[in-house]
Amino acid sequence: MKILAIDSTANTSTVALLENDTLISIYTVNTKNTHSEMLLPMVKSLLDSSRITVDDIDAFAVANGPGSFTGVRIGVATIKGLAFGKDKKCVAVSTTEALSVNLEGFDGLACPIMNARRGQVYTCIYKDGKPLIDECCMMLDDLIPILEKYDESIFFTGDGYDLTLDKEIKNKKHTPEYLRYSNAYGVGKIAYKKILNGEYTTDTDLRVNYLRKPQAEREREERLEKEGKI
């Protein structure tokens, strides 16, 4: 089964091609170029170099959030467009679960964190690939005592990694830089497991997972609350 996977939930644009859960090729760019500019040319280049076409793809996978609202939308829309009318499997993969694949084989806790602004992070805690808490959005300072209760080595990954650098965190360990970025291979590998379990959808039903309301909506509600209108 050939799986095309993408992740555009953070600054990194990443596209991968897998045969089942084996990586065939991967293309990752970490620049300030927008995902709308990068993703489709990256997909074309990856498929051309692998000597296959989009019609040869059996399943399409995407990190559908949490993360940058714009990046999440672009990623899901790109996969919807590629899969449109092809009657192929589409798989939505959690960004944090995909990031946890970066830390497979590390002895301790894998803690993906995505910068949600205002001191908050999108996060989850994984041990041997299994989540120990529900994926959520919380203050980083509230996450730290939860992690320390486990009394295990803690490895962070994700675009919120730098937020941990000036924090005193018991058992915090260094994660190599190349393992801190989004990696479409993780998306594809998780997608393959989901497909085997029957957890897939269609291009029409593929949905985003923002995990919280967009900033504009939150600010509107805050303003209305101050004005006593809600």
Side-chain angles (χ1 to χ4, degrees):
M1 176 185 295
K2 289 182 174 58
I3 301 173
L4 180 68
I6 70 173
D7 188 340
S8 59
T9 57
N11 290 332
T12 303
S13 299
T14 175
V15 181
L17 177 66
L18 294 83
E19 181 70 44
N20 297 332
D21 59 355
T22 300
L23 181 65
I24 296 175
S25 57
I26 189 166
Y27 189 173
T28 298
V29 177
N30 186 32
T31 67
K32 293 184 179 180
N33 292 336
T34 64
H35 298 304
S36 59
E37 295 174 321
M38 297 296 296
L39 280 178
L40 285 176
M42 288 172 66
V43 169
K44 183 179 186 305
S45 177
L46 180 141
L47 293 179
D48 287 348
S49 64
S50 301
R51 298 183 179 180
I52 66 171
T53 71
V54 70
D55 291 330
D56 297 318
I57 300 299
D58 301 300
F60 297 85
V62 61
N64 73 326
S68 157
F69 290 164
T70 301
V72 169
R73 286 197 301 271
I74 291 172
V76 171
T78 299
I79 284 297
K80 279 176 168 284
L82 291 169
F84 180 74
K86 293 182 169 58
D87 193 27
K88 300 291 180 72
K89 297 177 179 65
C90 291
V91 187
V93 176
S94 155
T95 305
T96 66
E97 187 174 8
L99 279 167
S100 74
V101 176
N102 290 5
L103 299 174
E104 282 185 341
F106 282 61
D107 185 16
L109 303 178
C111 185
I113 51 174
M114 305 286 290
N115 190 349
R117 312 302 174 191
R118 297 186 175 185
Q120 295 182 313
V121 293
Y122 301 115
T123 190
C124 193
I125 303 171
Y126 294 88
K127 173 70 174 178
D128 298 327
K130 304 295 184 183
L132 301 181
I133 64 172
D134 292 334
E135 187 177 63
C136 60
C137 181
M138 66 166 62
M139 298 297 294
L140 177 58
D141 288 340
D142 293 332
L143 172 64
I144 293 170
I146 297 174
L147 287 164
E148 292 180 338
K149 286 180 181 178
Y150 292 98
D151 196 26
E152 294 196 53
S153 297
I154 302 167
F155 296 91
F156 292 101
T157 184
D159 76 344
Y161 184 90
D162 287 351
L163 300 176
T164 71
L165 296 179
D166 62 351
K167 301 288 185 181
E168 292 294 331
I169 304 173
K170 178 183 175 183
N171 296 329
K172 178 177 68 175
K173 303 299 181 183
H174 172 77
T175 300
E177 184 177 0
Y178 69 95
L179 295 178
R180 303 174 200 168
Y181 300 111
S182 302
N183 187 328
Y185 168 67
V187 177
K189 185 172 182 178
I190 298 297
Y192 179 63
K193 292 179 182 178
K194 285 179 170 288
I195 291 169
L196 294 181
N197 290 329
E199 300 175 44
Y200 53 85
T201 186
T202 64
D203 59 289
T204 302
D205 293 330
L206 192 64
R207 295 289 184 269
V208 300
N209 173 29
Y210 292 133
L211 205 60
R212 70 172 184 177
K213 297 176 182 179
Q215 182 176 348
E217 186 174 345
R218 297 196 309 274
E219 291 177 347
R220 174 179 177 275
E221 290 180 352
E222 289 172 2
R223 185 178 68 254
L224 292 175
E225 186 175 1
K226 288 179 180 179
E227 295 172 355
K229 296 181 179 179
I230 59 173

